[in-house]
Amino acid sequence: MLRQSCEPQMQTFVESGQLIRAFLPVGASRLGPLRARGPCRSGAPCRAKPEGALGGNTGGVADSAPDIEGMLRLLSGRADRREGARAGRVYLVGTGPGDPGLLTMRAVELMRLADVVLYDRLVSNDILQLVNPGARMVYVGKQRGFHTRTQDQIQELLEQFADSGSTVLRLKGGDPYVFGRGGEEVDFLREKGITVHCVPGITAASGIAAELGIPLTHRGVATSVRFLTGHSREGGQEELDETIAKSVDPKATLVVYMGLQTMPCLAAKLVEGGLDARTPSVAVRFSLEIVSSEDVCLLVFCRCCCSL
Amino acid sequence: MLRQSCEPQMQTFVESGQLIRAFLPVGASRLGPLRARGPCRSGAPCRAKPEGALGGNTGGVADSAPDIEGMLRLLSGRADRREGARAGRVYLVGTGPGDPGLLTMRAVELMRLADVVLYDRLVSNDILQLVNPGARMVYVGKQRGFHTRTQDQIQELLEQFADSGSTVLRLKGGDPYVFGRGGEEVDFLREKGITVHCVPGITAASGIAAELGIPLTHRGVATSVRFLTGHSREGGQEELDETIAKSVDPKATLVVYMGLQTMPCLAAKLVEGGLDARTPSVAVRFSLEIVSSEDVCLLVFCRCCCSL
């Protein structure tokens, strides 16, 4: 029997006045954690600095342009020494919700081959540990109010490293093409004539759904699922309102990425727009210390869920 | 520069009078194929029969209830002989679009541990080859007009194998919680008190998006993405119309699973509903010979795509 009402931790936002913030220890299942074990204390994922390589800490690269120059010289030299030195290529790789067990085989294979790795704030420590120790690590994480690099700078770095003849890995949390800005990077690099491939990752919605027992679709109950961002950038409130109006569907599961900041407004507008106020919902904050809740809180308005 | 018009193979259905059917050799990229290599000729994925194990062909199990009985006896005996025989457990595992490289590490780990594997029609040969040779293979694929097992029978089999003390793997194409009926199986098993875990997989939309260079979301262009099924079962046309009406959003990417059969009606209704008739779109049929195009054709109405 399918339960269309949900477990206690998934009360409706009407009963509680607002969405429940289920600050779950994401990944408590026996299949292993979705969160990184041993979160570091710095503002970025940390990993032991491989001998002879630049480290991946915030301080390692964020304010060290000379290091980048040095890396480029080193890498160019290495490429030239190779028999039949070839042009570099870039792989945009989704690393999923943070649990190494949810990495794809291809992601792991590429992490072993990479010369340079540019990684985001949402790539967990445990995942970074799988990168081959000889790879140059460049942290390019973005966080509200603190960008180690702008998107343009990241794209330029990718181009420079590819031009040096390196195999460049761009590691992203989740899936590069689901709120990951992968399209911008792929388009930029292809415009420059650089070979780029995208490797999909498990997006947060799928990871959380499996973890919490929330089918994103379910016959006769949820015939579709919609992912949207609660983090409206260009259009601001107006764009958000328009999106919300389109998101009220009694037969759909709604997943809001980056939704904590706009959650109160979003929840109220969904109900105004006609969403049943008793719709079970849950807000999940990834419990990585390296992450600010605003950016990774995932709201799920679900039509059904399995017993947990 | 982002291209909001698409490549030739992605013409709009208005120019062509209907959606282009891009029968792509899915996975021609240098990263390796998304499709199974060496498709078999039978109605189901084939794999070399491991010595002493039942094969995974249609004929292997579909019409061989006695074999199931034999397997259960064998497995029960094996479980009892184990020191501290324990209750079995079930793992619902998404295997992604078909390319072993897009399997998660956890999926591979579980395929090596399984005592019994129940697998769908959409699980590719190359993936089945990774299952440990000692595992009992049970094909439970469903296809329009030909079900080797009904959903109820599949659930009962999962229960029986779990009761025999086995580690049971339920392999599904894509993601179990995205049009995979995972919710029904998890709910059934949990109601029976059987331990069940779900391992997410790369859903077809993510696999195809990465392959074709179609960002499912893109800043300022596609602020959300919606997955829906074109395969309306309960509500029929009325339900489909209602869903379509909710799916017209100039700021969203729309992905229709199992959409080939309803494609002409769907496309017309989307335009009637206000979708810009110039919206780039592509229809992808997974080129696995084992698969009927109706069931796996994926339609993507995208706001943007990267140069391929």
Side-chain angles (χ1 to χ4, degrees):
Chain A
M1 185 273 299
L2 171 69
R3 298 186 184 172
Q4 290 196 43
S5 68
C6 286
E7 299 300 300
Q9 72 184 63
M10 302 181 67
Q11 298 155 37
T12 70
F13 52 78
V14 162
E15 281 167 12
S16 62
Q18 62 170 7
L19 284 166
I20 295 296
R21 299 185 188 184
F23 291 153
L24 302 170
V26 176
S29 86
R30 264 158 287 183
L31 271 178
L34 278 171
R35 69 186 290 274
R37 291 184 291 274
C40 67
R41 307 289 163 196
S42 76
C46 56
R47 81 195 272 273
K49 286 189 184 185
E51 197 174 332
L54 298 174
N57 295 338
T58 311
V61 169
D63 50 359
S64 58
D67 291 335
I68 296 292
E69 296 307 321
M71 290 165 72
L72 287 166
R73 277 196 301 276
L74 273 168
L75 292 162
S76 303
R78 196 164 71 180
D80 295 343
R81 283 196 305 276
R82 288 178 186 152
E83 200 177 328
R86 50 111 184 86
R89 57 183 52 194
V90 177
Y91 296 94
L92 258 65
V93 176
T95 60
D99 173 5
L102 295 184
L103 280 171
T104 63
M105 303 275 281
R106 178 144 305 128
V108 174
E109 173 193 2
L110 289 167
M111 287 159 78
R112 290 183 178 157
L113 296 173
D115 298 315
V116 189
V117 176
L118 278 73
Y119 63 99
D120 278 351
R121 190 168 51 89
L122 299 183
V123 179
S124 76
N125 275 355
D126 285 1
I127 284 172
L128 292 175
Q129 297 295 346
L130 300 178
V131 175
N132 79 76
R136 270 60 182 175
M137 304 298 293
V138 182
Y139 174 64
V140 293
K142 295 199 228 72
Q143 194 162 0
R144 187 184 303 283
F146 177 68
H147 288 197
T148 54
R149 305 273 173 187
T150 65
Q151 186 62 34
D152 286 348
Q153 287 172 328
I154 292 169
Q155 290 168 189
E156 282 157 20
L157 276 180
L158 291 171
E159 181 187 9
Q160 289 171 341
F161 283 122
D163 285 343
S164 77
S166 304
T167 296
V168 185
L169 219 60
R170 174 72 170 109
L171 290 185
K172 291 174 172 285
D175 184 298
Y177 279 167
V178 178
F179 305 117
R181 304 193 68 171
E184 291 166 70
E185 294 174 18
V186 167
D187 206 67
F188 172 88
L189 293 165
R190 286 184 172 159
E191 290 289 329
K192 301 285 184 178
I194 292 167
T195 303
V196 55
H197 297 290
C198 180
V199 179
I202 302 286
T203 191
S206 287
I208 294 300
E211 192 67 19
L212 298 187
I214 302 171
L216 295 177
T217 67
H218 196 104
R219 288 193 150 201
V221 179
T223 54
S224 79
V225 58
R226 182 166 186 175
F227 304 158
L228 63 88
T229 171
H231 196 139
S232 186
R233 295 169 196 273
E234 291 82 3
Q237 194 55 54
E238 197 178 309
E239 186 182 285
L240 185 63
D241 292 354
E242 190 185 298
T243 309
I244 290 169
K246 292 282 183 183
S247 303
V248 176
D249 181 348
K251 286 279 196 180
T253 302
L254 177 63
V255 182
V256 184
Y257 286 64
M258 302 167 285
L260 193 58
Q261 204 190 33
T262 48
M263 180 167 66
C265 144
L266 186 90
K269 284 186 180 292
L270 283 168
V271 174
E272 270 173 37
L275 184 74
D276 183 344
R278 292 162 303 175
T279 303
S281 61
V282 63
V284 176
R285 184 179 68 177
F286 283 53
S287 48
L288 291 168
E289 290 185 21
I290 57 172
V291 162
S292 72
S293 60
E294 283 78 0
D295 286 359
V296 291
C297 175
L298 194 78
L299 317 182
V300 184
F301 299 83
C302 49
R303 316 308 311 178
C304 54
C305 68
C306 301
S307 42
L308 295 173
Chain B
M1 183 275 298
L2 172 71
R3 298 187 184 172
Q4 291 195 43
S5 68
C6 285
E7 298 302 300
Q9 73 185 57
M10 303 179 68
Q11 297 155 39
T12 70
F13 52 77
V14 162
E15 282 167 10
S16 61
Q18 63 170 7
L19 283 166
I20 295 296
R21 298 185 192 182
F23 291 155
L24 303 171
V26 176
S29 85
R30 265 157 286 183
L31 271 178
L34 277 170
R35 69 187 290 275
R37 290 184 292 274
C40 66
R41 307 289 163 197
S42 76
C46 57
R47 82 195 272 271
K49 287 190 184 185
E51 201 175 319
L54 298 174
N57 295 338
T58 311
V61 170
D63 52 359
S64 58
D67 290 336
I68 295 293
E69 294 309 318
M71 288 165 73
L72 287 167
R73 277 194 302 276
L74 272 169
L75 292 162
S76 302
R78 195 165 74 181
D80 295 341
R81 282 196 306 277
R82 287 180 186 149
E83 201 178 326
R86 49 110 184 89
R89 57 183 51 195
V90 177
Y91 295 95
L92 257 66
V93 177
T95 60
D99 173 5
L102 295 184
L103 279 171
T104 64
M105 304 271 281
R106 179 143 307 129
V108 174
E109 173 194 1
L110 290 168
M111 287 159 77
R112 290 182 178 157
L113 295 174
D115 298 315
V116 188
V117 176
L118 278 72
Y119 64 99
D120 278 351
R121 189 168 51 92
L122 298 183
V123 179
S124 75
N125 275 354
D126 285 1
I127 284 172
L128 292 175
Q129 298 294 346
L130 300 178
V131 175
N132 80 76
R136 270 60 183 174
M137 304 298 293
V138 183
Y139 174 65
V140 293
K142 296 198 227 75
Q143 195 163 359
R144 187 184 302 284
F146 177 67
H147 288 199
T148 55
R149 304 275 174 187
T150 65
Q151 187 61 35
D152 286 348
Q153 287 172 328
I154 291 169
Q155 289 167 190
E156 282 158 22
L157 276 181
L158 290 171
E159 180 187 8
Q160 288 172 340
F161 283 122
D163 285 343
S164 77
S166 304
T167 296
V168 185
L169 220 59
R170 173 72 170 110
L171 290 185
K172 292 173 172 286
D175 184 298
Y177 279 166
V178 179
F179 305 118
R181 305 194 68 173
E184 291 166 72
E185 294 174 16
V186 167
D187 206 68
F188 172 87
L189 293 166
R190 286 183 172 160
E191 289 288 329
K192 301 284 184 180
I194 293 166
T195 303
V196 55
H197 298 292
C198 180
V199 179
I202 301 288
T203 191
S206 287
I208 295 299
E211 192 66 19
L212 299 186
I214 302 171
L216 295 176
T217 68
H218 196 103
R219 288 193 150 201
V221 180
T223 55
S224 79
V225 57
R226 181 169 188 172
F227 304 157
L228 64 87
T229 170
H231 197 139
S232 185
R233 295 170 197 271
E234 290 84 1
Q237 195 53 55
E238 197 178 309
E239 184 182 288
L240 185 63
D241 293 353
E242 189 185 300
T243 309
I244 290 169
K246 293 283 184 183
S247 303
V248 175
D249 181 348
K251 287 280 196 180
T253 301
L254 177 62
V255 182
V256 184
Y257 286 63
M258 300 168 285
L260 193 59
Q261 203 190 32
T262 48
M263 180 167 67
C265 144
L266 186 90
K269 283 185 181 292
L270 283 168
V271 174
E272 271 173 40
L275 184 74
D276 183 345
R278 292 162 302 176
T279 303
S281 60
V282 64
V284 177
R285 183 179 69 175
F286 284 53
S287 50
L288 291 168
E289 290 185 21
I290 57 172
V291 162
S292 71
S293 59
E294 284 79 359
D295 285 1
V296 290
C297 175
L298 194 77
L299 317 182
V300 185
F301 299 83
C302 49
R303 315 308 311 177
C304 54
C305 67
C306 300
S307 41
L308 294 173

